[in-house]
Amino acid sequence: MLSPCIRALTVLLLGLWPLPGAAAEEAPRRWALVVGENQGLSGEERLRFAEADARRMREVLQEVGAVPPERTVTLLGADAATLREALKGFQARLAVEASSRDWLLLYVSSHAGDGSLHLRGTELPMRELVDFLKGAPVGVGLLILDSCRSGLATRLKGLKPVVAPVTMEASDLEGRVVISASGADEYAQESDALQGSFFTHHLAAGLRGAADASRDGRVTLEEAYRYAYARTLESTLVSPGGVQRPTFRMDLRGRGELVLSEPNQARGRLTLDVKTPGRWLVVASESGSLVADLEKGEGPTTLAVAPGTYRLLLRADEGYLERSVRVPLDGTVSVGGTPLEEAARLRLARKGGAGSSLLLAVGPSLTSGLVAGLSSIAGLDVRLVREGRLFSGVDTSSLALGVRRGTGSGVAFQQTELELRLGAGPHWKHGAWTFSGALEAGALAVFQSRIPDEEARFGLEPLALVTGGVRLDVRSRLSMLLSASAGGVMAKRDSGTALVPRASASLLVGYSL
């Protein structure tokens, strides 16, 4: 989703990971300043995920980038004066505590334009951030910009342009690196589905292990940039905001690999042990937040994630195959097996191969009445919903059973209804939400009893409905569903048969089978 001017600069200064056998005291220290601000200048639309992206990067840096909390400064909701003061204080601290072997990281996510950050009604020239980066008393400075037209900062004097793909070597590093989320004349974009910006999401997933092309348990600067560039480009190919191309410039001297993260050192690790490439979604079950939307390459991939329960969805051309796993506090959980391998192969071969899921839902309903004296009738709905392709444009089918009972007013009588419906239609997923529509048809059995001076009555009438619904996944297998239907029943009358309008609403609790 296009943001008016997303994200601002990210200066990451990560430390070089020690080589095997190196003494711990020789390892460079890592420092980070992370800034997120949703509000820009007056008249600019408020960003939705700038501050959330800043939190996401802070978590990644501390969990897999070896930036400790005591050397991390976080600013959320800061104006230009507050950021200048933070830069000044950070500069003074680095002058006392940092060394030429250390790395520095500055991450700013905000509105931007015309070469300046737009922070809570104020402006800060990007030049000040670049000057801070170049003047910091550390060996390496990494600046990452996630904002509209952030490529402008990579044009600043003293840095050499690098176009993707990029190769580099560095050790005992001196110099600076600037990565921007977009070109000088391009929009950076946010995504409701990702709950963040395309670039930051893919960069964070890459640092957690998705970018580890060499499968050595480490993510280098080259690997992280290659992955974030390719995934951001892919994600924005058909976006209303246009294609977004991250840019890269550097001025580094030395030899060796610049390692940004080591996912295999994280406390919790999740291995997607499927050889065939595939598209995976990793969703935190408790919060429903999307941890990673990644394109896994050939062979297994290990992601560093926080301990907890996750839903894993292997996406095919149509549908998906889902698993639920729990990542332990310390250790690795591996997910694979024949069904997932086959689903990945089917997706790779573009043969459909859609997985399907079943949902059983139960809850109360309220329905309009069919006869005078009974304007509405309450009851219980039970539904079995299958998500899986039937034919083009129809990927949801359902079987619904409704039981209702009510008492008439005016003339006392009791009416019991038993309703059976079959339905089919499309559905659309958006994060933890699923929206669906369906055409339903079935039969309604009506029993009327306790009618004064009359015998009990029975009728069996056909019905047809149009139904819309929304589902929210709240836990691993539990969900809440709200649906509404409108249509008609061909009801018997003393004078013949008449079409009676029918409307109903239901609130259900669902469980995935």
Side-chain angles (χ1 to χ4, degrees):
M1 184 177 183
L2 178 65
S3 72
C5 255
I6 302 180
R7 317 288 163 208
L9 293 156
T10 306
V11 177
L12 295 167
L13 237 7
L14 301 174
L16 184 64
W17 289 89
L19 297 176
E25 59 271 18
E26 296 178 357
R29 290 172 299 179
R30 288 153 281 243
W31 306 78
L33 173 61
V34 180
V35 181
E37 171 52 57
N38 288 333
Q39 183 177 333
L41 300 179
S42 176
E44 289 182 326
E45 180 181 348
R46 184 179 178 86
L47 299 176
R48 299 185 62 189
F49 306 119
E51 295 176 18
D53 276 344
R55 295 187 188 96
R56 175 180 293 171
M57 286 304 301
R58 177 183 62 190
E59 292 171 1
V60 170
L61 292 173
Q62 293 181 354
E63 292 174 13
V64 297
V67 182
E70 61 271 17
R71 289 199 290 273
T72 303
V73 176
T74 305
L75 293 178
L76 301 177
D79 58 13
T82 302
L83 179 52
R84 283 194 182 97
E85 191 65 25
L87 291 172
K88 181 179 178 181
F90 208 11
Q91 180 78 19
R93 182 180 175 188
L94 290 173
V96 175
E97 301 182 30
S99 74
S100 60
R101 291 181 52 81
D102 290 357
W103 291 29
L104 170 65
L105 175 130
L106 170 62
Y107 180 91
V108 184
S109 176
S110 74
H111 271 291
D114 299 325
S116 296
L117 303 178
H118 298 170
L119 304 170
R120 200 168 280 268
T122 62
E123 297 187 52
L124 180 84
M126 292 183 185
R127 174 87 264 174
E128 294 188 31
L129 289 175
V130 177
D131 288 344
F132 167 79
L133 180 71
K134 295 177 68 174
V138 295
V140 178
L142 177 58
L143 169 62
I144 301 178
L145 307 90
D146 196 351
S147 64
C148 291
R149 298 182 288 277
S150 57
L152 177 66
T154 66
R155 293 182 175 178
L156 297 175
K157 183 178 178 180
L159 297 174
K160 302 174 183 179
V162 179
V163 295
V166 59
T167 59
M168 64 198 70
E169 290 185 343
S171 166
D172 295 325
L173 292 168
E174 302 173 7
R176 300 298 182 260
V177 178
V178 175
I179 299 176
S180 66
S182 62
D185 300 313
E186 294 175 350
Y187 289 104
Q189 301 172 57
E190 290 182 313
S191 165
D192 286 338
L194 298 179
Q195 295 291 291
S197 79
F198 288 110
F199 178 75
T200 295
H201 176 88
H202 294 313
L203 178 62
L207 293 175
R208 288 190 179 277
D212 183 16
S214 64
R215 301 291 189 269
D216 63 354
R218 306 185 306 167
V219 176
T220 66
L221 175 60
E222 175 185 350
E223 289 175 324
Y225 178 71
R226 282 179 183 268
Y227 181 85
Y229 179 93
R231 295 292 288 118
T232 300
L233 188 66
E234 176 193 4
S235 298
T236 58
L237 277 176
V238 295
S239 168
V243 176
Q244 181 180 330
R245 303 174 183 86
T247 61
F248 184 104
R249 295 203 175 202
M250 70 174 184
D251 182 9
L252 296 175
R253 295 174 294 279
R255 298 187 61 82
E257 286 188 319
L258 183 61
V259 179
L260 298 186
S261 66
E262 278 194 284
N264 63 348
Q265 298 298 317
R267 297 187 65 185
R269 297 178 300 278
L270 170 64
T271 297
L272 306 176
D273 192 12
V274 175
K275 181 179 180 181
T276 310
R279 180 74 171 274
W280 291 78
L281 300 180
V282 181
V283 181
S285 298
E286 291 295 328
S287 64
S289 61
L290 182 63
V291 176
D293 177 355
L294 64 101
E295 189 72 32
K296 187 190 74 62
E298 186 78 15
T301 292
T302 296
L303 296 175
V305 296
T309 303
Y310 295 87
R311 294 170 53 221
L312 309 180
L313 295 90
L314 173 56
R315 299 185 64 173
D317 287 342
E318 301 161 354
Y320 56 86
L321 188 64
E322 181 176 343
R323 287 279 301 275
S324 180
V325 299
R326 174 169 289 278
V327 177
L329 183 61
D330 288 288
T332 302
V333 62
S334 182
V335 177
T338 302
L340 292 174
E341 187 68 53
E342 289 179 351
R345 287 174 181 164
L346 288 169
R347 175 191 177 276
L348 191 64
R350 296 185 176 274
K351 293 182 181 178
S356 63
S357 62
L358 286 176
L359 180 77
L360 179 64
V362 180
S365 66
L366 184 65
T367 306
S368 61
L370 297 174
V371 296
L374 189 61
S375 60
S376 63
I377 183 169
L380 181 72
D381 271 6
V382 180
R383 298 186 189 180
L384 185 63
V385 180
R386 177 187 180 272
E387 290 184 354
R389 178 182 170 87
L390 294 178
F391 47 86
S392 180
V394 177
D395 47 23
T396 299
S397 54
S398 63
L399 172 65
L401 174 67
V403 180
R404 292 179 280 273
R405 175 173 289 181
T407 301
S409 60
V411 178
F413 67 93
Q414 187 174 80
Q415 180 161 308
T416 302
E417 298 180 359
L418 182 63
E419 184 177 284
L420 184 66
R421 305 189 309 272
L422 291 175
H427 77 269
W428 305 268
K429 288 190 173 294
H430 184 76
W433 298 85
T434 300
F435 303 89
S436 62
L439 294 177
E440 295 185 316
L444 175 65
V446 180
F447 303 86
Q448 289 183 342
S449 59
R450 302 180 185 177
I451 306 173
D453 303 322
E454 291 189 33
E455 296 181 354
R457 297 177 180 179
F458 169 76
L460 184 62
E461 287 110 10
L463 60 85
L465 302 168
V466 176
T467 300
V470 59
R471 186 181 88 216
L472 173 62
D473 296 328
V474 294
R475 288 186 178 273
S476 175
R477 291 179 176 270
L478 290 178
S479 56
M480 298 294 297
L481 298 87
L482 176 65
S483 70
S485 302
V489 178
M490 294 300 297
K492 295 178 181 179
R493 294 289 188 262
D494 293 337
S495 59
T497 302
L499 178 63
V500 179
R502 185 76 156 174
S504 66
S506 303
L507 179 61
L508 313 172
V509 176
Y511 181 81
S512 297
L513 302 177

